[in-house]
Amino acid sequence: AEAARLIQNGSLDFVYLDSCHTYNATKQCIETWRKRIRVGGYVAGHDYCSRWPEVVQAVDDSFRGENPATDTWDWWVQVV
């Protein structure tokens, strides 16, 4: 969050998040950084897997209806 304050909203093409794996921390991290991504850019992150169910839930809740793309460990969403 401290670093995000230095970045103008809508100015980034991509951000990759690796939060501290709790629901609240992951949700807050997504909310903070998503604002910094321009339309058409991507927000992505790590640890979308059964080992970290709170990360999965926070991502799913943050992007409800947007269906984040996922692979073995990562997730990503294009900002519209």
Side-chain angles (χ1 to χ4, degrees), residues 27-79:
K27 188 108 165 78
Q28 181 62 45
C29 193
I30 291 168
E31 289 173 9
T32 298
W33 284 97
R34 184 178 188 175
K35 298 174 200 168
R36 274 57 181 185
I37 305 298
R38 68 168 177 79
V39 172
Y42 288 86
V43 60
H46 194 241
D47 294 329
Y48 189 94
C49 62
S50 60
R51 182 176 177 195
W52 303 108
E54 290 187 58
V55 170
V56 172
Q57 190 63 55
V59 170
D60 290 348
D61 288 352
S62 294
F63 298 104
R64 194 162 301 285
E66 295 179 67
N67 298 321
T70 64
D71 68 10
T72 305
W73 289 93
D74 301 301
W75 60 269
W76 60 97
V77 174
Q78 187 171 24
V79 175

